Amino acid sequence: MGGVEDDEPPTKRVKVFSGDSRVHSCNISAIDQGGSSLSDSMARLLTSQEDDDIVGTKGVIKKTELIRIIAEALYSLGYSKSGARLEEESGIPLHSGLVDLFMKQILDGHWDESLATLHEMDLMDDKIIKLASFVILEQKFFELLDGKKIMDALKTLRADIAPLCVNNDRVRELSYSILNLSLEMSDDRVSGQEMRLKSRKELLEELQKLLPPTVIIPENRLVHLVEQALDLQRDACRYHNSSVGEMSLLTDHQCGKDHIPCQTHQSSVFYVVCIGAGHSEMMLDCCLVLHEHGDEVWFVQFSRNGKYLASSSGNCIVIIWEVMADEQVCVRHRLTGHQRPVSYITWSPDDRQILTCGTEEVVRRWDVVSGECLRIYEKSGLGLVSCGWAADGQSVFSGVSDKSICMWDTEGKEMECWKGQKTIRIADMGVTKDGKELITVCKETSILLFEWERNSEKFIEEDQIITSFTVSDDRKFLLVSLLNEELHLWNIDGVPKVISKYKGHKRSRFVVRSCFGGLDEAFIGSGSEDSQVYIWHRVSGELILTLGGHSGAVNCVSWNPTNPHMLASGSDDRTIRIWGLNRMDSSAAAAAAVSACSSSSSTAASNDHTNGVANGCNGKTL
């Protein structure tokens, strides 16, 4: 395969022919019920803390703290009677009587009394006391202003707030609000802060964040701890590939291999191929294996919405496949017109069009719905080696065989051409998160991040020859395939740096492409020359699965962005395999696929009658 001598650098082995948070009701039972005085309540809390029992097998959980956060959770969930009963039965109050009094004073708007109580708490940190006092007095100021008590508000600002010397910029903002005699300033912000009146519950939430957690239990602390535990279990699960909603508090979380798409076996399922208007060919097959290319499959790529799969092969054909609701796959269009094999395909931002790049030939833009070729992009006397979309989908980029990069509008007018060592024959091209930087391989061991509007450059340097790369869905990470059979994961959100490496797959002669995939792109997938698909856990770097089934080198893999349980791989054995979970489908699903494909074929045939040839390009639709 290829027709180039094996001692030629792999980067030249581009395949060619052999040619709102919830606020719990404050616990003020110590005050309301009269069962104990404030001093008794505080004494009971201090005594329980001094003689604190340890619970659990690890010796790290204090019983007093556990009881308090359970009580807080009960109040937060609306079970006030149960919370009060827990405090009474355990003898451990959620808060001291002094804190309960303070919270009640805040909610009642007794500002001077709340400040006195705050100082009685003996917080031992003057900075915290000043910050909390500032927040309370600011609320008092706004409520006075809201009541049109301008002089009282001004007095509070001058005599109480300003002397704290906490935030002089904020004091000026408060003065400005007096001058405007209005509180309706939520759209006029100074220093990024809103000038508005908070509710007293919001004020209490803010104070809870300022005061030490030993004084006031943070809101929803138990829920936060449980969420942390689930996050840790999820991150430690090397096969996690299902939604968080499927995790349970009743058992420790651990996914099995069956959560990763690793099976093509689908018992008693018809493999469906849409042949033409009103016709479908059905073959009873045990595997969802697509045989339509009839030549080595070099590239596969799912659309961003997961509804389509585009693929190309050594016979210059591009196929757009439609992914049905039942995960069956059928041919939507067969695209012809390239004179050389197609080495790269990229979807437009809205998934309505694709760009295809021939091996040092031309770039073609296709309509996904009709299958019509809309435009050809070419340079006289030169071949195009790569293609990509601008973030807004309004312009097209391409690397040129003279190592320059060109930009066209969608109508084919050349807008810019940047000369110099901007690219080589590597077909991959990407765009950064902000849409301002173009990513290409500019030298055998260097990747260029080119900000075309400012004509500025920065580089990623590897110590091995680069054979391909791919960009994550969030555009923050770059996965680089190297000559030495390693994949390097770069964080490009800021100063580029390597954060992980993956090893195990085989690559000695040809371009083998990798991908991000799974839930939250938690996995790395790659083809391999040993006919297998390799899957690593992205964070740990552990090789977790190798998928066997192909009989030739696996050249490219693509994970469905919207279905973490669907993976496609293209191989030299002339097939595309659609990998899914190991589950049984009924013959009814197959019948539905037949019906859907037949309907799709009829629509495609109707479109074929109305669509012509654009720019001398054959837009044949099957």
Side-chain angles (χ1 to χ4, degrees):
M1 177 187 74
V4 182
E5 294 300 322
D6 290 346
D7 60 353
E8 186 174 354
T11 51
K12 306 302 183 185
R13 293 281 308 197
V14 178
K15 298 190 177 185
V16 297
F17 274 139
S18 299
D20 278 330
S21 65
R22 295 180 55 185
V23 180
H24 66 78
S25 57
C26 295
N27 171 33
I28 54 174
S29 58
I31 299 174
D32 293 342
Q33 295 176 7
S36 60
S37 66
L38 297 181
S39 58
D40 291 341
S41 164
M42 177 64 82
R44 187 166 68 247
L45 176 59
L46 293 174
T47 300
S48 65
Q49 289 176 337
E50 289 174 358
D51 303 325
D52 205 359
D53 293 331
I54 302 298
V55 298
T57 59
K58 305 295 184 181
V60 295
I61 301 176
K62 296 178 182 179
K63 179 180 178 181
T64 297
E65 293 182 348
L66 181 61
I67 294 297
R68 292 178 71 197
I69 66 171
I70 291 175
E72 192 281 329
L74 289 171
Y75 285 116
S76 294
L77 293 170
Y79 303 119
S80 299
K81 292 181 180 178
S82 298
R85 181 63 185 270
L86 175 60
E87 292 186 73
E88 180 184 356
E89 188 173 346
S90 67
I92 301 173
L94 172 59
H95 299 125
S96 70
L98 204 60
V99 172
D100 281 336
L101 176 61
F102 173 74
M103 297 169 72
K104 185 175 187 301
Q105 289 168 339
I106 291 296
L107 293 176
D108 291 342
H110 298 159
W111 309 121
D112 296 338
E113 293 89 337
S114 68
L115 289 171
T117 305
L118 176 67
H119 284 80
E120 290 179 32
M121 290 182 188
D122 193 23
L123 297 176
M124 306 297 290
D125 190 329
D126 289 339
K127 184 178 180 180
I128 291 178
I129 293 175
K130 281 190 174 183
L131 287 172
S133 299
F134 188 93
V135 170
I136 293 169
L137 289 168
E138 185 183 63
Q139 182 72 13
K140 176 184 177 181
F141 169 85
F142 276 124
E143 291 197 9
L144 288 171
L145 208 58
D146 187 52
K148 300 296 187 289
K149 298 178 180 180
I150 308 300
M151 296 308 297
D152 289 341
L154 181 60
K155 180 181 178 181
T156 298
L157 180 62
R158 289 176 173 175
D160 300 326
I161 297 177
L164 291 173
C165 299
V166 170
N167 188 337
N168 292 331
D169 290 339
R170 186 63 170 173
V171 171
R172 284 192 289 270
E173 294 167 15
L174 299 179
S175 302
Y176 181 74
S177 67
I178 291 180
L179 294 174
N180 281 273
L181 300 176
S182 173
L183 294 176
E184 297 179 359
M185 302 177 62
S186 59
D187 292 329
D188 296 327
R189 302 187 182 190
V190 183
S191 301
Q193 299 188 53
E194 286 189 7
M195 302 290 290
R196 68 178 183 84
L197 177 64
K198 296 187 289 283
S199 72
R200 292 174 182 174
K201 286 186 177 181
E202 287 178 310
L203 171 63
L204 190 56
E205 289 175 9
E206 189 172 346
L207 289 167
Q208 285 176 319
K209 295 175 182 177
L210 285 174
L211 299 177
T214 53
V215 175
I216 298 183
I217 298 294
E219 186 182 6
N220 291 319
R221 177 60 182 167
L222 182 59
V223 173
H224 177 67
L225 289 173
V226 172
E227 287 177 337
Q228 277 189 327
L230 291 178
D231 286 343
L232 289 172
Q233 290 185 33
R234 180 193 61 202
D235 292 343
C237 177
R238 59 182 180 174
Y239 300 116
H240 184 76
N241 198 31
S242 57
S243 65
V244 176
E246 296 180 20
M247 299 178 70
S248 172
L249 299 179
L250 305 180
T251 59
D252 289 343
H253 176 73
Q254 185 63 52
C255 295
K257 293 182 180 180
D258 56 344
H259 284 251
I260 307 296
C262 58
Q263 297 288 330
T264 53
H265 179 73
Q266 295 187 348
S267 178
S268 300
V269 173
F270 287 100
Y271 162 55
V272 183
V273 180
C274 297
I275 301 299
H279 298 85
S280 295
E281 178 181 328
M282 294 178 293
M283 296 178 288
L284 187 59
D285 200 328
C286 293
C287 295
L288 190 57
V289 181
L290 311 179
H291 299 267
E292 285 299 288
H293 272 293
D295 204 337
E296 298 168 353
V297 180
W298 290 3
F299 198 92
V300 291
Q301 184 68 57
F302 280 104
S303 59
R304 291 173 174 80
N305 60 20
K307 296 180 179 180
Y308 299 98
L309 174 71
S311 60
S312 67
S313 59
N315 59 6
C316 312
I317 300 297
V318 174
I319 295 179
I320 297 179
W321 309 81
E322 185 170 2
V323 180
M324 314 306 292
D326 58 4
E327 300 187 1
Q328 294 297 307
V329 178
C330 63
V331 174
R332 177 71 182 233
H333 300 294
R334 183 189 295 269
L335 311 179
T336 61
H338 279 288
Q339 301 303 307
R340 294 189 180 184
V342 175
S343 55
Y344 195 71
I345 302 171
T346 180
W347 290 85
S348 65
D350 61 6
D351 285 333
R352 295 180 179 179
Q353 301 175 55
I354 61 170
L355 296 176
T356 59
C357 183
T359 306
E360 294 198 33
E361 186 207 35
V362 299
V363 169
R364 293 173 181 263
R365 180 166 60 90
W366 308 84
D367 181 81
V368 172
V369 174
S370 67
E372 178 185 1
C373 182
L374 302 174
R375 187 67 57 186
I376 296 176
Y377 305 88
E378 56 188 332
K379 292 278 287 185
S380 178
L382 297 171
L384 305 187
V385 297
S386 58
C387 56
W389 294 89
D392 60 5
Q394 299 303 306
S395 52
V396 170
F397 298 96
S398 180
V400 187
S401 57
D402 66 355
K403 302 181 181 179
S404 65
I405 293 177
C406 285
M407 179 172 70
W408 289 271
D409 64 17
T410 52
E411 297 305 312
K413 178 183 177 182
E414 185 176 312
M415 301 167 64
E416 294 281 353
C417 188
W418 297 279
K419 301 291 185 179
Q421 187 73 39
K422 296 292 191 293
T423 189
I424 58 177
R425 290 177 60 197
I426 300 288
D428 305 304
M429 182 173 279
V431 177
T432 54
K433 179 185 177 183
D434 58 10
K436 295 181 179 180
E437 292 180 318
L438 195 64
I439 307 171
T440 66
V441 179
C442 62
K443 296 180 182 178
E444 288 187 334
T445 60
S446 300
I447 291 176
L448 169 66
L449 284 79
F450 177 56
E451 189 173 350
W452 63 87
E453 291 181 350
R454 297 172 56 186
N455 201 25
S456 64
E457 301 176 344
K458 60 183 178 182
F459 300 90
I460 292 175
E461 300 290 346
E462 288 281 8
D463 57 6
Q464 291 285 325
I465 293 175
I466 299 166
T467 60
S468 66
F469 72 81
T470 187
V471 186
S472 64
D473 187 54
D474 60 13
R475 305 292 173 178
K476 294 181 180 181
F477 300 93
L478 193 67
L479 185 62
V480 182
S481 299
L482 300 173
L483 176 70
N484 64 346
E485 300 181 322
E486 287 187 6
L487 302 176
H488 288 183
L489 180 61
W490 288 78
N491 185 333
I492 57 174
D493 189 22
V495 179
K497 59 181 177 180
V498 176
I499 58 176
S500 193
K501 298 181 180 181
Y502 311 95
K503 302 178 182 180
H505 70 300
K506 307 301 178 185
R507 195 226 59 78
S508 60
R509 297 187 299 163
F510 307 122
V511 175
V512 171
R513 300 185 185 279
S514 53
C515 72
F516 296 87
L519 184 68
D520 298 325
E521 293 194 323
F523 303 99
I524 299 296
S526 178
S528 179
E529 288 186 15
D530 63 1
S531 306
Q532 299 190 91
V533 175
Y534 284 70
I535 298 176
W536 294 266
H537 187 260
R538 176 173 166 178
V539 174
S540 69
E542 179 185 1
L543 178 63
I544 59 174
L545 281 175
T546 55
L547 310 181
H550 284 290
S551 59
V554 180
N555 300 311
C556 189
V557 293
S558 179
W559 217 304
N560 191 315
T562 60
N563 182 353
H565 300 149
M566 178 178 282
L567 175 70
S569 59
S571 169
D572 278 357
D573 65 10
R574 304 185 175 191
T575 69
I576 298 171
R577 283 181 173 258
I578 306 297
W579 306 85
L581 302 185
N582 187 13
R583 60 193 181 195
M584 304 295 287
D585 292 325
S586 66
S587 57
V594 173
S595 175
C597 278
S598 297
S599 175
S600 176
S601 298
S602 298
T603 302
S606 176
N607 288 336
D608 193 36
H609 285 294
T610 59
N611 292 324
V613 175
N615 304 313
C617 195
N618 182 1
K620 182 179 180 182
T621 303
L622 295 184

